[in-house]
Amino acid sequence: MNQDALPPGSLDAAIREMEAALGKDNVLTEAEGMADHGDPFAPPGEWYSPGAVLLPGSVEEVQALLRIANRHKTPIWTSSQGRNKGYGGGAPRVSGSFVVSLRRMNRVLEVDEENCMALVEPGVRFFDLYEHLRSTGSKLWMSVPDLGGGSVIGNALEHGVGYTPIGDHFGQHCGMEVVLANGDVLRTGMGGMSNPHNWLIYPHSAGPTPDGLFTQSNYGIVTKMGVSLFHAPEVYAPGWFMLDNEEHFGSFLEVLRPLMIDGTIPNQPMIINAVCAASAFGERKEWYTGEDSIPEEVLDKIAATPGFGRWVMRFALYGDAPVVAHNRAKIEKAFTAIPGGSVVFEEFDGRNLPEFDNPHHRVQAGIPSMALDQMTRWYGGEEGGHIGFSCAMPIAGKDGCAIRDLTRKVLNERGLDYSAAIIVGKRSMIHVALVVFDTKNERQTREAYAATKAMLEPAAKLGYGEYRSHLDFMDEVAALYDFNDNAQRRFAETIKDVLDPNGILSPGKQGIWPKAWREG
Amino acid sequence: MNQDALPPGSLDAAIREMEAALGKDNVLTEAEGMADHGDPFAPPGEWYSPGAVLLPGSVEEVQALLRIANRHKTPIWTSSQGRNKGYGGGAPRVSGSFVVSLRRMNRVLEVDEENCMALVEPGVRFFDLYEHLRSTGSKLWMSVPDLGGGSVIGNALEHGVGYTPIGDHFGQHCGMEVVLANGDVLRTGMGGMSNPHNWLIYPHSAGPTPDGLFTQSNYGIVTKMGVSLFHAPEVYAPGWFMLDNEEHFGSFLEVLRPLMIDGTIPNQPMIINAVCAASAFGERKEWYTGEDSIPEEVLDKIAATPGFGRWVMRFALYGDAPVVAHNRAKIEKAFTAIPGGSVVFEEFDGRNLPEFDNPHHRVQAGIPSMALDQMTRWYGGEEGGHIGFSCAMPIAGKDGCAIRDLTRKVLNERGLDYSAAIIVGKRSMIHVALVVFDTKNERQTREAYAATKAMLEPAAKLGYGEYRSHLDFMDEVAALYDFNDNAQRRFAETIKDVLDPNGILSPGKQGIWPKAWREG
């Protein structure tokens, strides 16, 4: 529940200057226009919401609005598209702030076919980049998250992932342009040279590499970024692993770990439990209508549905036919040795893909869609919402079972279902408890938020840190990074105060508050 | 030529306190003890040299020496081992500074066999980590640069590379501990939690990621880092590509690029020219004794030596036998289509390696050695020296030919040979002109430094930025990152001034000077 808000009228003086700088059409002050820039799943009442929305169209307009915000000391909360819906969407941590949406800055500035890179603006959605590649005849593949409506840059800056071999989106970026709070324009890496020949191919300059500072932070507004693409593979082989029991979930993760570290599985697999699998195809009421959490025997019924299981993993292989064949056989052998485990693969010509009906086949081939939005409709249909409770941990049976047991218990105690999607990387996995609820049901919505907060501390005790967080518990998450009396926050505040002395950029983002707010 | 030096006696008052804090044995003030902490290849006369050397043995001692340096406002220049000899070794940018060497902090704190990671201190050399792995029965492989005497951490912080599939050492790190100028201890990523369970497996926390800030910078002293290791492959197949002519050097790079981006070649190949190849096996006088640069007909003679060529590339494949076999055939087909090109491979059981005579076989298997030190003995034998002139650029024929022609011309005009080692990454290559000279020959030594400086600006015009630089031209290199009136330097100075207000940490490192020095 939001307790930080600007008093009414705080923006009035600045709004007129913003209108002069950006044009009246690009300053939204009516509830209707702002609705798409808030938290889409918030419970009724006081919550995180913009005071006005600014839509700059260029770097110069970003600089202009920063000048005005500095003069008036009004906070501006920046999002690229504001589509990270499970974490608060485009809404500001401090209600009544300006929200800067970069949706109008949506140009694909360059596609470098030889080096498999693109240079994009923050308003470029995964859909936009995909359309650009296809319409310009590029042969390259890109990486997308489950939903293609978000910003390519915004996703990377929030440490979001995709599901191809280049799915670590921040790790795969090369080069940034950032407008600092004082309006200065910084280009990182070799974009720091007058001749930016190397900007998209070498990630450092001679000197410190600041790119990571601009992720999950409030230090600047990223206005350009270099994004990795990859060659269409000879063979694209999406696969499914199904596990029909809970008992061997831990041993499955033990089998998976070396296959990830060695690159036998080259993309970012996603492991989902029975509830999450069912939610991709329909609503809860098709399975159960009780108000308590879904019972074991119903889970067993879901798990017995062909293609489902107690746990299902989506993954894919990419490459030359003999390499894919070898890795496929290796994976089949390893996974079918797990009691209750089975594997299926399909294979496609990567240079000549069919139109896929299956949205998972699209996602892992880097083709954006919105089909998997269905998952958040488990409880409320069109009015369904979710919060992500998203912890990192090693790919290990012990850890997977511990977080499963912890989150399932807390959610079930509050009558909520345990829907899990585990995003697997090379050495770590992010266990996302998709805390789903019906936004029309205020009690359930509030339970969902409360349950999520209740899981933070027990997870942290086990060493499982949140990899990102909803607006509503950014402070709590930051507090749990408590080594040496919260040295990380102390360091972050030191940088904040010198880069943004007026504290205008996204105050409270990830628990980083400007000096005036810390003291006030 | 160094013009920045502390006046004599500047350290006197602080030295006594340093002796009390670290013990007399760990404060070196005699020329003999300091000799190993300076620039090993400097010409005679005024040059970069320490005023005293400090050898802390723990984080607490690092904090203690920072307190003393802050009190006295005396600069301290930190190196881990000080073995980056082509860039000034352990010597300070400001002569007469304290040099802090972290050689005594040399513990391997952890090897995580399951997740293929190690946690090390900065004094751990590649040799030390290797010995630790072998003596503790670890089955894991590590990554090493050509010379194994340097610090694992120091190499990564300078954006150095190794020659295995995990050869991007900074890119492959996970987690850091840094002592800031004020003595505060920061742990990055999930090391920021009291329970550091995730420290070595997930690289971010919830909030900004500052790790890159501590590379090639003077913002803190890195005291721990997580380092990637990898599983021994079933097959280890080092290969050589030989090109017998200059004409097709460009087309070779065009063939190479997609093989790198696709990961067909998974390690970091090194491409060397005839002079560099010959220098690995003997001295120049075996081929030519003239004082001018080595003539074309002698280069042809070198190139005609079995195993050499006008250009030779070292690379290796790693993995399961069928995958290595497929990639090997693909590479053989691609490279032998280049006129004058030939390929040879050897194959070894990765789980049961023989003792290699060939140092290149060792390097690409992550086994440290010092054998390739020979390359710097081209002119002066035991007294030979070198400077690295090291530009990044795309893996492209146009770029490879342009930098070859530029550096060869400048060096040859000054009577110096063109010795090139090109380190190839996934999307970029670093062309290192190994500017070799006889340190006993003052004229030649000064020519080498002057030639290197003369190449900076023409290379920058083409967009080729230095990826690191010798002490003697850090300012010049920083100046060439000149987008938006040197926005990178402006940003770096802003961070410097707030993290290190007394300007004690490595003033001048990569052209970043503290406020007092900028104004003084």
Side-chain angles (χ1 to χ4, degrees):
Chain A
M1 179 62 151
N2 187 16
Q3 289 162 351
D4 302 292
L6 298 183
S10 300
L11 303 184
D12 290 355
I15 280 179
R16 281 183 293 277
E17 293 180 38
M18 293 292 186
E19 287 174 341
L22 309 180
K24 274 207 159 196
D25 289 352
N26 297 314
V27 180
L28 312 180
T29 53
E30 303 297 323
E32 200 186 354
M34 292 196 286
D36 195 34
H37 298 273
D39 181 348
F41 306 139
E46 271 309 313
W47 205 256
Y48 306 94
S49 57
V53 174
L54 308 175
L55 297 159
S58 66
V59 168
E60 292 71 26
E61 289 188 4
V62 169
Q63 292 175 301
L65 71 85
L66 285 167
R67 271 193 299 274
I68 299 166
N70 269 307
R71 210 153 48 226
H72 292 275
K73 297 195 169 51
T74 46
I76 58 173
W77 179 274
T78 308
S79 71
S80 299
Q81 281 283 343
R83 295 303 187 204
N84 48 341
K85 293 186 176 182
Y87 303 102
R93 176 65 185 77
V94 175
S95 270
S97 300
F98 282 117
V99 160
V100 175
S101 167
L102 302 172
R103 293 183 191 176
R104 285 180 62 223
M105 296 174 67
N106 61 356
R107 291 178 301 167
V108 177
L109 297 163
E110 185 185 339
V111 173
D112 178 345
E113 196 80 10
E114 290 188 347
N115 291 301
C116 300
M117 292 295 299
L119 182 67
V120 302
E121 291 186 327
V124 172
R125 301 170 309 148
F126 292 96
F127 280 116
D128 301 324
L129 180 55
Y130 184 78
E131 284 309 316
H132 182 92
L133 292 172
R134 295 300 81 90
S135 69
T136 56
S138 169
K139 304 284 184 219
L140 300 175
W141 284 28
M142 57 183 278
S143 180
V144 301
D146 275 322
L147 303 178
S151 156
V152 175
I153 289 183
N155 177 279
L157 295 183
E158 293 297 320
H159 304 154
V161 300
Y163 303 99
T164 64
I166 55 168
D168 171 10
H169 292 161
F170 175 67
Q172 293 281 337
H173 97 285
C174 188
M176 280 181 177
E177 180 185 84
V178 188
V179 184
L180 302 173
N182 65 3
D184 208 1
V185 178
L186 174 72
R187 288 185 176 172
T188 68
M190 295 212 167
M193 303 184 78
S194 289
N195 179 350
H197 186 64
N198 287 349
W199 196 10
L200 303 184
I201 56 97
Y202 186 76
H204 309 292
S205 63
T209 304
D211 300 43
L213 269 195
F214 299 104
T215 68
Q216 290 200 359
S217 82
N218 48 17
Y219 298 153
I221 297 179
V222 177
T223 47
K224 293 181 181 69
M225 195 177 79
V227 176
S228 285
L229 305 169
F230 67 115
H231 290 125
E234 185 182 16
V235 176
Y236 165 54
W240 292 97
F241 167 73
M242 279 85 54
L243 182 65
D244 71 6
N245 61 78
E246 286 290 344
E247 292 70 22
H248 293 95
F249 175 58
S251 22
F252 155 55
L253 294 175
E254 293 295 310
V255 171
L256 177 60
R257 182 179 56 247
L259 298 172
M260 292 305 304
I261 293 179
D262 286 354
T264 303
I265 298 177
N267 75 335
Q268 310 232 14
M270 182 181 275
I271 306 168
I272 58 180
N273 69 358
V275 169
C276 190
S279 73
F281 291 89
E283 294 182 31
R284 184 182 200 256
K285 61 189 177 198
E286 298 165 27
W287 298 96
Y288 187 64
T289 53
E291 296 222 342
D292 54 334
S293 67
I294 201 161
E296 280 295 307
E297 57 271 21
V298 180
L299 292 178
D300 283 335
K301 224 169 72 184
I302 296 175
T305 308
F308 292 178
R310 289 297 293 221
W311 292 93
V312 182
M313 183 173 79
R314 159 185 103 183
F315 65 103
L317 306 180
Y318 310 75
D320 294 348
V323 174
V324 168
H326 171 76
N327 287 333
R328 176 176 168 166
K330 189 172 170 179
I331 289 164
E332 284 168 342
K333 186 173 169 210
F335 282 164
T336 54
I338 301 165
S342 57
V343 185
V344 293
F345 276 101
E346 290 178 76
E347 294 200 8
F348 302 97
D349 175 353
R351 282 99 187 225
N352 192 19
L353 289 182
E355 287 283 331
F356 291 121
D357 282 334
N358 186 326
H360 298 287
H361 283 10
R362 289 207 289 277
V363 164
Q364 294 186 108
I367 304 169
S369 84
M370 289 303 289
L372 294 169
D373 207 14
Q374 175 64 35
M375 287 194 193
T376 66
R377 297 177 187 174
W378 184 241
Y379 275 106
E382 290 288 331
E383 307 283 336
H386 75 281
I387 316 167
F389 171 71
S390 311
C391 293
M393 62 200 60
I395 307 164
K398 177 177 75 68
D399 296 309
C401 292
I403 193 72
R404 174 196 64 187
D405 296 347
L406 163 62
T407 50
R408 185 172 56 188
K409 181 167 180 288
V410 172
L411 291 166
N412 288 359
E413 279 172 1
R414 291 170 185 256
L416 295 161
D417 295 341
Y418 167 53
S419 177
I422 304 173
I423 304 163
V424 187
K426 192 179 167 71
R427 275 195 183 79
S428 59
M429 58 187 196
I430 309 284
H431 176 281
V432 182
L434 275 166
V435 184
V436 282
F437 52 88
D438 177 358
T439 61
K440 294 187 305 301
N441 180 338
E442 181 168 348
R443 189 199 54 74
Q444 191 181 47
T445 303
R446 293 195 183 276
E447 280 295 347
Y449 281 82
T452 308
K453 284 197 191 186
M455 295 187 285
L456 292 172
E457 205 168 308
K461 282 221 174 86
L462 298 171
Y464 309 146
E466 296 307 286
Y467 100 112
R468 67 203 288 188
S469 71
H470 190 283
L471 289 175
D472 197 42
F473 42 93
M474 284 180 174
D475 288 333
E476 287 87 338
V477 167
L480 292 169
Y481 284 84
D482 55 356
F483 168 77
N484 187 17
D485 196 19
N486 292 92
Q488 283 195 359
R489 187 165 56 197
R490 202 156 53 243
F491 181 79
E493 288 170 352
T494 303
I495 302 288
K496 178 66 179 169
D497 293 344
V498 69
L499 290 182
D500 180 17
N502 292 324
I504 58 168
L505 286 178
S506 300
K509 169 80 177 156
Q510 305 304 145
I512 306 170
W513 292 95
K515 195 179 179 97
W517 289 82
R518 297 198 303 272
E519 292 170 352
Chain B
M1 180 62 153
N2 186 16
Q3 289 162 350
D4 302 292
L6 298 184
S10 301
L11 305 184
D12 291 354
I15 280 179
R16 280 183 295 276
E17 293 179 40
M18 293 292 186
E19 286 174 341
L22 309 181
K24 274 208 159 194
D25 289 354
N26 297 315
V27 180
L28 312 180
T29 53
E30 302 297 324
E32 202 185 353
M34 293 196 285
D36 196 34
H37 298 273
D39 181 349
F41 307 139
E46 271 309 314
W47 205 256
Y48 306 95
S49 56
V53 175
L54 307 176
L55 297 160
S58 66
V59 168
E60 292 71 25
E61 289 188 4
V62 169
Q63 292 175 301
L65 72 83
L66 286 167
R67 272 194 298 274
I68 299 167
N70 269 307
R71 212 154 45 228
H72 292 275
K73 298 194 167 53
T74 46
I76 58 172
W77 180 273
T78 308
S79 71
S80 299
Q81 281 283 344
R83 296 302 186 204
N84 50 341
K85 292 187 177 182
Y87 303 101
R93 176 67 183 77
V94 176
S95 270
S97 299
F98 281 117
V99 159
V100 174
S101 168
L102 301 172
R103 292 184 192 176
R104 285 179 61 221
M105 296 174 67
N106 61 355
R107 292 177 301 167
V108 177
L109 297 163
E110 185 185 340
V111 173
D112 179 343
E113 197 80 8
E114 290 189 348
N115 291 302
C116 301
M117 292 295 299
L119 182 66
V120 302
E121 292 186 325
V124 172
R125 301 170 309 150
F126 292 96
F127 280 115
D128 302 324
L129 180 55
Y130 184 78
E131 284 309 316
H132 182 92
L133 292 172
R134 292 303 80 90
S135 68
T136 56
S138 168
K139 303 286 183 218
L140 301 174
W141 285 27
M142 56 183 279
S143 180
V144 301
D146 276 321
L147 303 179
S151 157
V152 174
I153 289 183
N155 177 280
L157 295 182
E158 292 297 320
H159 304 153
V161 300
Y163 302 99
T164 64
I166 54 167
D168 171 9
H169 291 161
F170 175 67
Q172 294 279 338
H173 97 286
C174 188
M176 280 183 179
E177 180 185 84
V178 188
V179 184
L180 302 173
N182 65 2
D184 209 0
V185 178
L186 174 73
R187 288 186 177 172
T188 68
M190 296 216 165
M193 304 185 77
S194 289
N195 180 350
H197 186 64
N198 287 348
W199 197 9
L200 303 185
I201 57 96
Y202 187 75
H204 309 292
S205 62
T209 304
D211 299 45
L213 269 195
F214 300 105
T215 67
Q216 293 200 359
S217 82
N218 47 18
Y219 297 153
I221 297 179
V222 177
T223 47
K224 292 182 182 64
M225 194 178 80
V227 176
S228 285
L229 305 169
F230 67 115
H231 290 125
E234 184 182 17
V235 176
Y236 165 54
W240 292 97
F241 167 74
M242 279 86 52
L243 183 65
D244 72 4
N245 62 78
E246 286 290 343
E247 291 70 22
H248 293 95
F249 175 59
S251 20
F252 156 54
L253 293 175
E254 293 294 309
V255 171
L256 177 60
R257 182 180 54 249
L259 299 172
M260 292 305 306
I261 292 179
D262 287 354
T264 304
I265 297 178
N267 75 333
Q268 309 231 15
M270 182 180 276
I271 306 168
I272 57 180
N273 70 356
V275 168
C276 190
S279 73
F281 291 88
E283 294 182 32
R284 184 183 201 253
K285 61 190 176 197
E286 298 164 27
W287 297 97
Y288 187 63
T289 53
E291 297 221 341
D292 54 335
S293 67
I294 201 162
E296 280 294 307
E297 58 271 21
V298 180
L299 292 179
D300 283 334
K301 224 168 75 185
I302 296 174
T305 308
F308 292 177
R310 287 299 292 222
W311 293 93
V312 182
M313 183 173 79
R314 160 184 102 184
F315 65 103
L317 307 180
Y318 310 74
D320 294 346
V323 175
V324 168
H326 172 77
N327 287 333
R328 176 177 167 166
K330 190 172 171 180
I331 290 164
E332 283 168 342
K333 187 174 168 210
F335 282 164
T336 54
I338 301 164
S342 58
V343 184
V344 294
F345 276 102
E346 290 178 75
E347 294 200 7
F348 302 98
D349 175 354
R351 282 102 187 222
N352 192 20
L353 288 183
E355 286 282 333
F356 291 122
D357 282 333
N358 186 327
H360 298 287
H361 283 10
R362 288 207 290 276
V363 165
Q364 294 186 107
I367 305 169
S369 83
M370 290 301 289
L372 295 169
D373 206 16
Q374 175 65 36
M375 286 193 191
T376 65
R377 298 180 186 172
W378 184 240
Y379 275 107
E382 289 288 330
E383 307 283 336
H386 76 281
I387 316 167
F389 171 73
S390 311
C391 292
M393 64 199 61
I395 307 165
K398 177 177 74 69
D399 296 309
C401 292
I403 193 71
R404 173 195 65 186
D405 296 347
L406 164 62
T407 50
R408 185 173 56 189
K409 180 166 178 292
V410 172
L411 291 166
N412 288 359
E413 279 172 359
R414 293 172 185 254
L416 294 161
D417 294 342
Y418 167 56
S419 177
I422 304 173
I423 304 163
V424 186
K426 191 177 168 71
R427 276 196 182 81
S428 58
M429 58 186 195
I430 310 283
H431 176 281
V432 182
L434 275 167
V435 184
V436 283
F437 52 89
D438 176 358
T439 61
K440 294 187 307 300
N441 179 338
E442 181 169 349
R443 188 199 55 74
Q444 191 181 47
T445 302
R446 294 195 183 277
E447 279 295 346
Y449 281 81
T452 308
K453 284 196 190 185
M455 295 188 284
L456 292 171
E457 206 169 306
K461 282 222 174 86
L462 298 171
Y464 309 146
E466 298 305 289
Y467 98 113
R468 69 203 288 190
S469 71
H470 190 283
L471 290 175
D472 198 43
F473 42 91
M474 284 181 174
D475 288 332
E476 287 86 340
V477 166
L480 292 169
Y481 284 85
D482 56 355
F483 168 77
N484 187 17
D485 197 18
N486 292 91
Q488 283 197 358
R489 188 164 55 198
R490 202 156 53 243
F491 181 79
E493 288 170 353
T494 302
I495 301 288
K496 177 65 179 170
D497 292 345
V498 71
L499 291 182
D500 180 16
N502 293 324
I504 58 167
L505 287 178
S506 301
K509 169 80 176 155
Q510 305 306 145
I512 306 171
W513 292 93
K515 196 179 176 98
W517 289 82
R518 298 199 301 274
E519 292 171 352

